[in-house]
Amino acid sequence: MDFDLTEDQEIIRRSAAEFADEVLKPSASRIDANSEFPAENIKAAARLGFLGVLVPEEFGGSGLGHMELAIILEEVNRGCASTGVTLSVHNSLVCSPIVRFGSDAQKKKYLPKLSSGEWLGAYALSEPNAGTDAASISLSARESGSRFVLNGTKTMISSGSKADVVIVMARTGDAPGAKGITAFIVEKGTQGFKPGAKEDKLGIRGSDTSELIFEDCAVPASAILGRRGEGFKIAMSTLDGGRIGIGAQSVGIAQACLDESVRYAKERKQFGQPIASFQAIQWKIAEMGTRIDASRLLVRRAAFLRDADRPHTRESAMAKLFASRTANLCAFEAMQVHGGVGYTKEFAVERLFRDARITEIYEGTTEVQNIVISRKLLE
Amino acid sequence: MTSGREKGGIHSGGQPGLSQPAHGVYNPPLPAGKPIGPGRVWRFLSMEIAVLVKQVPDTAEVKIDPKTGTLIREGVEGVVNPEDLNAVEAALVLKARHGGCVTVLTMGPPQAREALLETLAMGADRAVHLTDKAFAGADTLATSYTLGKAVEKLGPFDLVICGRQAIDGDTAQIGPQVAEYLGIPQATYVQEIEIRDGVLRAVRRLDAGTETIETPLPALVTVLGSLNSPRLPTVPGIIDACSSKDRLSVMNAADIGARAEKTGLRGSPTVVWKTETPKSERRCEMLKGSPAVQAQALAAILKKRNLS
């Protein structure tokens, strides 16, 4: 048992940390204020090799695992959560399922472009009437000769309007519920497929969150990812990985909250001394630090298990649950440490407070994580 | 671009001697366009560059133990000295333009290996870790001797690049001393580098402006942080650096032919008598009253302290 990062993991972490400090942090507040999609950040991340972390080298990626991805995502999200979620979705919800379930032809076609950042990916599961109840999706894929015709709407799709490739879960009609779902890879520009309204959100305002509209959108049978009817299984297995990514994002946001709090508590003087000398502040710092450490360990354990190809549904749900709650607790306490100025846009904690909130909602709400975890514990 | 740059020669009071052909030119110009031998093509088309780096504690404010007067290094992460990264970047840019090979050297304890891996991940071709118990406790003279020996051993190099100074010791002595040891021209505080037809042109930042100098190669330059912005190691670069073992070699005193009495503590005439953190004695005085009254009060204070 060893809690140290390996030599290359440590250098990767530093590279990502420097990217976060030098590139992401300085632009985070502008990106937030203008709801600006962080295209430049994504390009820079691509140059550093952060877009094909999980993709094997033969397809132009780095051939690393979720551990390295979690290390990168934690640092990136410490700097800018809008950039962070875009990278998380691209790596763990798009590249990962293509690596795991894609045909050779699909891998050759998509992975090199996704790794280089030439193409950006999105993952479309949620619908107006199917969020937490994912098995009830109704977007239909009707078989017509050698093609499938997609009709319906997806909502709340991260990078939806920016993506060049979207993994779309659709009902192929073979069976009701989870069994009749098939995953398709749909390219931007396919006739009958277009992005709809863009959401105006509380936090991660630079991340693009869009509706996707499919109207008689015909795709070849070769667009099926994995096998017909396997979609729900692919969706859930993919989310097991995605939750590690959101766990890492949460740790990054929480760490940023702690860093800001420590800095401010040492600088800010009241009653003639830095507020860091008051126990009320010290206890907040201690609790934040301890919960962040625990979250990080949970995230890394889940990543370790996924990389070792061992069962990790419960562990990744636990990591996501605990880390996202930690991010919100840290955001709350960081604002409390800052007092009035923390409530203003002058200080990063105001943005962190809003950015943290989504981590308890997307890729499975806190409540869904509780269902997943308890089901595993009670089975 | 800095104003006042002219073609050829030294101006604006450049150091005398730099325009002279340097002694120790161990790589005389060859007939134009004729490649020589395996490995090294014509020297100015293919540059051999050495970069000297140091691993330093990752903090701009090095704390000093008030009791012992030594630097507190415990619990502080080691990183590549910031201006040394500018030196690596400069070397990589020159290599991209002229071709050649970038060799990074460091003298330091076993953990300094990580700093070298980082420079390999940035794109350096090879890295050499000089580590030996005999090197411990070296002052800048002994360090310069050791680095100079290694550069000689591993060379010939067309150019040696160093960061201006390390953030822990702040001496800025290593570069100049290595150049002296090697007997090659040096340009310090460099903020622009260009190499054309085998001549190095460097813009140096001085207190009152800049100075552009030219020198034949081989030469040594120490560079400023403003020279460039160092690239970050990429993930593929890191994987490559950490997996290919032959790019990083370790050498000890015997390997570089260093004499024991000239390295480490034994080779260090410097004795640190005392190191202390200057006490911060800043005082804050709040001025009150209307803006006009405050301005008058401020003017009076500045005048009183001869600051006006």
Side-chain angles (χ1 to χ4, degrees):
Chain A
M1 188 80 192
D2 185 351
F3 286 95
D4 283 332
L5 298 181
T6 63
E7 218 164 42
D8 40 355
Q9 287 167 347
E10 177 57 23
I11 301 176
I12 288 172
R13 188 194 67 73
R14 281 191 199 179
S15 184
E18 214 170 312
F19 175 58
D21 290 329
E22 307 293 325
V23 179
L24 302 181
K25 253 189 179 176
S27 59
S29 121
R30 187 198 74 222
I31 283 169
D32 173 65
N34 304 342
S35 290
E36 176 188 324
F37 185 73
E40 287 303 314
N41 289 348
I42 303 297
K43 263 188 219 160
R47 285 195 291 274
L48 292 172
F50 292 173
L51 263 63
V53 180
L54 303 172
V55 174
E57 287 178 65
E58 57 177 312
F59 298 113
S62 299
L64 296 171
H66 281 262
M67 183 68 84
E68 288 79 11
L69 181 59
I71 291 165
I72 291 168
L73 287 176
E74 180 188 330
E75 294 295 345
V76 166
N77 280 286
R78 190 171 58 71
C80 173
S82 291
T83 305
V85 66
T86 310
L87 292 188
S88 184
V89 166
H90 179 92
N91 278 290
S92 45
L93 299 188
V94 182
C95 292
S96 171
I98 296 177
V99 170
R100 288 179 165 234
F101 303 103
S103 65
D104 273 351
Q106 287 168 337
K107 289 181 189 175
K108 273 185 201 143
K109 182 171 185 193
Y110 296 112
L111 293 177
K113 283 181 173 159
L114 289 167
S115 299
S116 69
E118 193 183 330
W119 281 3
L120 188 68
Y123 174 89
L125 175 62
S126 294
E127 294 181 6
N129 296 313
T132 294
D133 181 11
S136 72
I137 59 163
S138 63
L139 187 139
S140 67
R142 183 174 40 84
E143 196 171 2
S144 159
S146 63
R147 322 184 106 205
F148 285 81
V149 181
L150 276 58
N151 275 291
T153 303
K154 293 288 182 186
T155 54
M156 300 281 180
I157 307 307
S158 296
S159 306
S161 78
K162 303 288 178 186
D164 303 278
V165 185
V166 186
I167 295 180
V168 182
M169 298 300 160
R171 186 161 295 285
T172 28
D174 314 283
K179 286 183 184 145
I181 296 172
T182 301
F184 290 88
I185 306 178
V186 182
E187 293 173 29
K188 184 184 191 170
T190 305
Q191 202 175 358
F193 163 48
K194 62 172 191 222
K198 193 181 154 182
E199 303 295 340
D200 187 5
K201 308 189 297 295
L202 172 74
I204 53 165
R205 292 180 59 78
S207 148
D208 172 66
T209 310
S210 297
E211 191 177 37
L212 297 181
I213 299 164
F214 297 84
E215 283 171 347
D216 292 330
C217 169
V219 294
S222 62
I224 292 179
L225 179 64
R227 274 195 295 257
R228 186 173 174 167
E230 244 186 19
F232 194 73
K233 196 188 93 186
I234 291 174
M236 291 304 117
S237 136
T238 300
L239 283 177
D240 281 345
R243 283 166 187 164
I244 301 172
I246 300 307
Q249 170 177 54
S250 307
V251 176
I253 295 173
Q255 184 66 48
C257 291
L258 176 62
D259 294 345
E260 294 295 326
S261 300
V262 166
R263 197 164 56 100
Y264 187 73
K266 285 181 175 173
E267 278 171 18
R268 170 72 171 170
K269 283 190 180 151
Q270 287 290 277
F271 306 103
Q273 49 193 316
I275 61 171
S277 65
F278 298 121
Q279 201 174 48
I281 303 296
Q282 292 164 357
W283 284 30
K284 291 187 197 305
I285 301 288
E287 187 177 11
M288 289 161 83
T290 307
R291 284 177 188 269
I292 290 169
D293 258 23
S295 303
R296 185 177 291 123
L297 291 171
L298 281 171
V299 167
R300 290 187 182 168
R301 179 191 55 173
F304 164 78
L305 289 172
R306 188 169 171 92
D307 289 340
D309 232 353
R310 283 161 55 183
H312 57 282
T313 299
R314 184 190 75 185
E315 289 79 2
S316 80
M318 284 177 163
K320 199 267 183 186
L321 169 76
F322 194 79
S324 62
R325 300 202 88 154
T326 297
N328 280 281
L329 174 128
C330 290
F332 184 93
E333 294 292 26
M335 192 174 282
Q336 210 63 23
V337 168
H338 281 70
V341 297
Y343 196 63
T344 70
K345 295 199 183 289
E346 285 288 298
F347 282 75
V349 291
E350 186 269 344
R351 171 175 49 80
L352 294 168
F353 186 87
R354 289 182 288 105
D355 285 350
R357 195 63 187 85
I358 189 62
T359 62
E360 281 204 57
I361 298 169
Y362 59 16
E363 299 202 29
T365 60
T366 287
E367 292 70 21
V368 162
Q369 309 308 327
N370 277 324
I371 292 172
V372 172
I373 296 161
S374 60
R375 228 180 241 164
K376 287 280 172 191
L377 290 172
L378 292 167
E379 78 186 4
Chain B
M1 263 321 143
T2 315
S3 60
R5 287 181 63 181
E6 291 163 28
K7 279 200 170 156
I10 309 172
H11 47 90
S12 61
Q15 288 174 18
L18 281 183
S19 63
Q20 303 298 314
H23 59 287
V25 175
Y26 38 67
N27 200 358
L30 290 155
K34 197 175 173 193
I36 51 153
R40 299 200 75 214
V41 196
W42 192 38
R43 59 178 276 205
F44 306 125
L45 289 177
S46 173
M47 293 191 66
E48 290 290 335
I49 306 172
V51 184
L52 310 182
V53 306
K54 183 182 187 183
Q55 192 185 45
V56 295
D58 182 13
T59 168
E61 283 175 48
V62 178
K63 294 204 174 79
I64 292 168
D65 187 326
K67 282 179 195 154
T68 61
T70 55
L71 302 177
I72 303 173
R73 290 173 194 273
E74 284 76 37
V76 185
E77 214 177 302
V79 295
V80 182
N81 179 53
E83 284 175 328
D84 298 353
L85 288 174
N86 296 101
V88 174
E89 177 66 29
L92 294 174
V93 169
L94 287 172
K95 181 195 158 183
R97 199 170 298 154
H98 303 276
C101 178
V102 175
T103 304
V104 179
L105 292 92
T106 196
M107 183 190 96
Q111 58 268 31
R113 172 188 152 83
E114 218 169 58
L116 290 177
L117 285 174
E118 205 172 319
T119 63
L120 286 176
M122 286 172 77
D125 298 283
R126 59 174 180 159
V128 179
H129 187 179
L130 307 168
T131 189
D132 195 312
K133 280 194 178 129
F135 297 157
D139 67 0
T140 63
L141 183 68
T143 304
S144 307
Y145 167 78
T146 308
L147 290 169
K149 269 282 176 199
V151 168
E152 267 182 345
K153 177 83 184 174
L154 296 160
F157 291 101
D158 300 301
L159 182 63
V160 181
I161 312 180
C162 316
R164 173 189 54 149
Q165 64 190 42
I167 55 170
D168 56 351
D170 282 333
T171 68
Q173 290 168 357
I174 296 296
Q177 286 176 179
V178 170
E180 285 302 313
Y181 175 83
L182 295 170
I184 58 175
Q186 57 177 285
T188 51
Y189 303 93
V190 168
Q191 61 179 28
E192 278 178 56
I193 300 179
E194 191 186 19
I195 287 169
R196 199 174 289 168
D197 304 326
V199 173
L200 172 91
R201 177 187 291 222
V203 178
R204 305 180 60 217
R205 196 176 73 202
L206 307 175
D207 282 342
T210 61
E211 175 188 69
T212 304
I213 63 161
E214 287 188 350
T215 168
L217 297 175
L220 181 146
V221 295
T222 76
V223 302
L224 299 172
S226 55
L227 173 70
N228 52 38
S229 43
R231 68 197 66 188
L232 289 172
T234 66
V235 174
I238 295 165
I239 297 167
D240 198 44
C242 293
S243 59
S244 57
K245 298 208 161 46
D246 53 334
R247 285 169 65 198
L248 198 160
S249 49
V250 180
M251 296 177 101
N252 60 22
D255 295 331
I256 58 171
R259 280 164 45 201
E261 72 274 15
K262 294 185 87 171
T263 63
L265 200 57
R266 285 178 69 190
S268 300
T270 313
V271 178
V272 178
W273 185 251
K274 191 180 173 191
T275 318
E276 58 182 343
T277 315
K279 285 201 187 92
S280 170
E281 288 182 352
R282 269 194 295 178
R283 276 177 301 147
C284 176
E285 192 179 327
M286 301 301 288
L287 302 176
K288 287 184 182 144
S290 68
V293 171
Q294 286 186 39
Q296 274 175 2
L298 181 62
I301 293 169
L302 292 176
K303 200 164 184 185
K304 195 171 147 196
R305 300 194 186 170
N306 293 326
L307 291 169
S308 58

